[in-house]
């Protein structure tokens, strides 16, 4: 890192001037004053404007004084204001055309100089000196310049030996930022990071690479932060399936048996994982053929997400059972069916009669909306989320659960929700939400009448990489012991 050090060559002259100023007889009894600057360093973002304020104590008028802001030496200065006018003859090249004197509170001794379009070379120490006749006093100010860089981009490549290499790049940082890679479980991934400073702007560019050895890594986030600023810039990538393929026949976890007593369902196994769609079709058929229980049994809706309705902020899995939030909008063909602003999506299924039940795994996701909407719900801009507009839903946001009723209803289920069951009874005009772990009801919208077909509705607020996943129902008779389920306990939601 090579930063221009303006003062080095002229240090002796600076000292001489400084000593000269110190030796001036201070205060001839007429107007004894002292100059104060901000006690703490000022923070300015690259490209912004920043004022460097100084004031007199006591708060006498600064009119008629010579006011000078300078860096290493009093001349040339950052800005000089003398006899009520700005004086540019003594101004440093770097500040030409970039400074404005702010004198609206001059009568009470408060003045400032505004620097426009702050750059990296403005970082450092400043002095302001006030001079009247033979009296003078000065204060020191510190300006910390911070550059918040561009959103990082991740580029993934496969190598010959089948390992993966991901490279994260970003520029526009000052000072050197902190770079951190995490996998989707939040575990740090070791990385090799290089910084380079731009010769013209002094801003840092970052190139950081990882080659994860762990084959279980399904995705990565690269997050870059400035030590002076609270925000982080984050990019996320899902590793290509072709390079990190799981064995296709592997069942990811056992099926989850569940007794939905509240709904009067027979024992069913519900799996929220990928790769079960082939099984699911078969079980649907079986269900239709056997037709075990009477008319009371609602149909297990086997939903598929409709990517054509999905916001460009969302990515739907190949089997259309799962949806994730992206950090960048995808380039997608425009469609009047698509949510163009809210990160929402619908399922393909339309219900205009009957009773339907489905479950969605929300897992540890920090924010979501699940529910049912009229097919005619608007898709453009921010969607009004309430029953008057044809949406009946639950929202989890900032650790709070609420029904999107009008007015809103705060809910506090006894246990955190891992999987949510949604039950629609079209004829009865009822939509209820359940904790799928035990079937207990969380909220019900009732006494409804629907003006048209309904569709399952999902939104994924916040940049949380965890997906929402529709659970497939794998029917399983109670006496069926040879099935993959094993001795899982009902209610064990993980
Ligand atoms: C300046 O000082 C006077 C008293 O000398 C006081 O009345 C006034 O409020 C002060 N103004 C400010 C802005 O501090
Ligand atoms: C701000 O400064 C940068 C770098 O010196 C320059 O490229 C840019 O044009 C300036 N912007 C404005 C608005 O003056
Ligand atoms: C920027 O200025 C601050 C305050 O004067 C100083 O502490 C810091 O070391 C400077 N940073 C760089 C990179 O020069």
């Amino acid at each position: 890192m090579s930063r221009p050090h303006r003062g080095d060559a002229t240090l002796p002259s600076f000292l001489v001037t400084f000593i000269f100023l110190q030796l001036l007889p201070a205060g001839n009894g007429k107007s004894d004053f002292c100059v104060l600057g901000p006690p703490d360093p000022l923070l300015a973002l690259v490209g912004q404007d920043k004022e460097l304020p100084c004031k007199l104590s006591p708060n006498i008028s600064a009119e008629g004084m010579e006011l000078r802001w300078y860096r290493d030496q009093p001349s040339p200065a950052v800005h000089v204001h003398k006899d009520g006018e700005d004086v540019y003859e003594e101004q440093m090249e770097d500040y030409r055309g970039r400074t404005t004197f702010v004198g609206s509170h001059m009568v009470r001794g408060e003045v400032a100089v505004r620097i426009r379009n702050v750059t990296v070379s403005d970082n450092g120490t400043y002095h302001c000196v006030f001079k009247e006749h033979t009296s003078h006093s000065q204060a020191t100010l510190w300006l910390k310049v911070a550059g918040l860089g561009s959103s990082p981009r991740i580029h993934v490549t496969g190598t010959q030996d089948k390992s993966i290499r991901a490279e994260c790049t970003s520029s526009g940082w000052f000072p050197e930022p902190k770079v951190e890679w995490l996998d989707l479980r939040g575990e740090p991934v070791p990385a090799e990071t290089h910084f380079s400073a731009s010769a013209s702007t002094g801003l840092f560019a970052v190139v950081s690479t990882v080659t994860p050895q762990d084959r279980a890594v399904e995705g990565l986030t690269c997050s870059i932060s400035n030590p002076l600023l609270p925000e982080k810039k984050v990019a996320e990538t899902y590793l290509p399936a072709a390079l990190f393929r799981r064995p296709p026949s592997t069942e990811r976890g056992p099926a989850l048996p569940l007794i939905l007593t509240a709904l009067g369902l027979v024992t069913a196994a519900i799996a929220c994982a990928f790769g079960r769609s082939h099984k699911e079709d078969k079980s649907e058929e079986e269900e239709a053929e056997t037709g075990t229980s009477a008319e009371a049994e609602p149909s297990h809706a086997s939903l598929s997400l409709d990517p054509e309705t999905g916001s460009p902020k969302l990515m739907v899995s190949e089997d259309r059972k799962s949806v994730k939030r992206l950090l960048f909008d995808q380039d997608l063909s425009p469609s009047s069916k698509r949510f163009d602003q809210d990160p929402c999506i619908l399922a393909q299924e339309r219900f205009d009669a009957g009773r339907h039940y489905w479950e969605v795994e929300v897992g540890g996701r920090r924010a979501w909306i699940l529910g049912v909407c009229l097919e005619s719900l608007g898709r453009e801009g921010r969607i009004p989320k309430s029953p008057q507009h044809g949406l009946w839903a639950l929202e989890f946001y900032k650790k709070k659960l609420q029904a999107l009723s009008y007015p809103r209803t705060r809910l506090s289920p006894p246990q955190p929700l891992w999987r949510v069951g949604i039950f629609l009874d079209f004829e009865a005009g009822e939509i209820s939400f359940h904790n799928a772990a035990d079937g207990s009801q969380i909220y019900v919208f009732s006494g409804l009448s629907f003006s048209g077909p309904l569709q399952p509705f999902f939104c994924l607020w916040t940049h949380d990489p965890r997906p929402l996943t529709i659970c497939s129902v794998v029917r399983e008779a109670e006496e069926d012991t040879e099935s993959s389920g094993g001795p899982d306990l009902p209610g064990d939601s993980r």
Side-chain angles (χ1 to χ4, degrees):
M1 185 195 77
S2 68
R3 220 177 63 79
H5 279 277
R6 228 183 298 272
D8 289 357
T10 47
L11 197 58
S13 89
F14 154 63
L15 280 176
V16 167
T17 324
F18 184 74
I19 290 161
F20 174 65
L21 282 172
Q22 296 305 302
L23 290 175
L24 280 173
N28 274 352
K30 186 179 161 240
S31 58
D32 225 354
F33 55 82
C34 169
V35 177
L36 304 173
D40 297 318
L42 301 165
L43 183 66
L45 282 178
V46 169
Q48 282 187 338
D49 298 353
K50 192 70 191 177
E51 285 186 9
L52 307 181
C54 290
K55 66 176 180 189
L56 284 170
S57 173
N59 65 0
I60 53 169
S61 172
E63 282 167 317
M65 291 191 183
E66 181 190 317
L67 312 170
R68 177 185 296 265
W69 281 256
Y70 68 93
R71 297 205 53 175
D72 305 317
Q73 51 182 4
S75 187
V78 173
H79 193 93
V80 180
H81 190 84
K82 207 191 288 190
D83 303 327
E85 285 180 10
D86 297 316
V87 182
Y88 293 107
E89 285 78 40
E90 291 184 68
Q91 191 174 37
M92 287 165 76
E93 188 69 43
D94 281 9
Y95 293 94
R96 199 144 295 166
R98 290 173 59 219
T99 56
T100 309
F101 177 72
V102 184
S104 45
H105 297 307
M106 189 133 77
V107 288
R108 54 175 203 243
E110 293 174 18
V111 292
V113 64
R114 183 183 303 129
I115 301 177
R116 278 190 301 280
N117 193 11
V118 166
T119 64
V120 165
S121 59
D122 296 337
N123 188 77
T125 308
Y126 291 75
H127 308 275
C128 57
V129 54
F130 288 38
K131 206 161 116 190
E132 185 178 49
H133 308 301
T134 51
S135 304
H136 76 277
S137 172
Q138 67 172 354
T140 302
L141 304 83
W142 296 271
L143 183 63
K144 278 188 177 174
V145 175
L148 183 62
S150 59
S151 293
R153 303 215 161 251
I154 302 182
H155 182 67
V156 179
T157 46
T159 61
Q160 293 295 345
D161 60 348
K162 284 188 193 150
S163 67
I164 263 186
R165 182 170 177 278
E167 183 180 87
C168 179
T169 52
S170 171
S171 59
W173 296 91
F174 188 83
E176 272 183 19
K178 193 166 158 270
V179 181
E180 191 181 30
W181 287 84
L182 298 176
D183 65 21
L184 292 190
R185 294 164 304 182
E187 298 292 327
V189 182
E192 198 175 315
T193 302
H194 296 284
F195 302 100
S196 57
S198 152
S200 57
T201 64
L203 295 168
F204 289 102
V206 179
V207 178
S208 182
T209 51
V210 291
T211 42
Q213 303 303 315
D214 182 358
R215 311 202 104 237
V217 172
E218 292 177 323
L220 293 163
T221 60
C222 165
S223 95
I224 308 186
S225 55
N226 185 320
L228 302 176
L229 303 172
E231 14 333 26
K232 273 187 178 176
K233 295 267 184 157
V234 184
E236 168 181 278
T237 186
Y238 296 96
L239 298 180
L243 288 157
F244 262 79
R245 194 193 299 282
R246 317 181 197 98
S249 60
T250 307
E251 302 228 349
R252 303 187 67 213
L256 300 164
L258 183 68
I259 303 168
L260 293 162
T261 43
L263 297 169
L265 299 178
V266 295
T267 306
I270 301 193
C272 307
F274 299 122
R276 306 203 67 144
S277 37
H278 52 289
K279 238 184 162 176
E280 185 188 304
D281 294 342
K282 196 174 130 233
S283 59
E284 286 269 295
E285 276 165 35
E286 274 172 12
E287 187 167 8
E289 280 165 20
T290 44
T292 38
S293 68
E295 86 299 332
E297 191 185 337
S299 79
H300 288 282
S302 171
L303 303 182
S304 293
L305 294 162
D306 181 0
E308 219 192 311
T309 64
S311 148
K313 299 177 170 66
L314 302 181
M315 187 175 73
V316 178
S317 67
E318 225 167 275
D319 67 359
R320 301 195 174 184
K321 295 292 182 195
S322 191
V323 57
K324 281 169 180 170
R325 177 76 190 256
L326 300 170
L327 280 153
F328 301 101
D329 288 14
Q330 285 174 285
D331 272 336
L332 294 176
S333 55
S335 162
S336 57
K337 292 171 77 183
R338 197 182 292 298
F339 292 98
D340 64 356
Q341 199 171 344
D342 283 352
C344 305
I345 188 168
L346 302 181
Q348 222 161 270
E349 287 68 24
R350 282 161 185 72
F351 302 122
D352 54 7
R355 308 170 79 204
H356 307 273
Y357 178 78
W358 63 93
E359 290 183 358
V360 180
E361 184 168 301
V362 295
R365 193 164 215 292
R366 285 200 303 272
W368 43 261
I369 295 180
L370 291 179
V372 181
C373 69
L374 285 174
E375 189 183 14
S376 57
L377 183 77
R379 312 289 161 88
E380 232 180 282
R382 302 304 303 262
I383 309 304
K385 293 170 191 72
S386 59
Q388 304 95 293
H389 297 94
L391 174 68
W392 299 268
L394 285 197
E395 178 181 67
F396 184 65
Y397 186 66
K398 294 199 171 159
K399 296 184 180 162
K400 295 193 181 93
L401 186 70
Q402 61 173 353
L404 298 182
S405 51
Y406 185 79
R408 305 301 200 219
T409 311
R410 276 286 291 279
L411 303 169
S412 36
Q415 296 153 33
L417 292 172
W418 193 260
R419 218 162 66 216
V420 179
I422 298 156
F423 179 55
L424 161 68
D425 187 335
F426 199 96
E427 283 77 18
E430 208 170 278
I431 297 167
S432 58
F433 295 85
H434 303 261
N435 183 349
D438 58 6
S440 60
Q441 183 172 296
I442 305 163
Y443 188 78
V444 58
F445 291 93
S446 55
L448 312 172
S449 66
F450 307 113
S451 61
L454 299 169
Q455 284 183 274
F457 177 90
F458 313 77
C459 291
L460 289 83
W461 301 112
T462 76
H463 290 293
D464 182 340
R466 286 167 282 202
L468 290 180
T469 304
I470 297 167
C471 306
S472 316
V473 177
V474 181
R475 242 180 82 89
E476 192 177 316
E478 261 161 319
E479 60 279 7
D480 183 357
T481 47
E482 102 329 301
S483 98
S484 65
D488 289 38
L489 296 170
D492 178 3
S493 63
R494 302 183 194 198

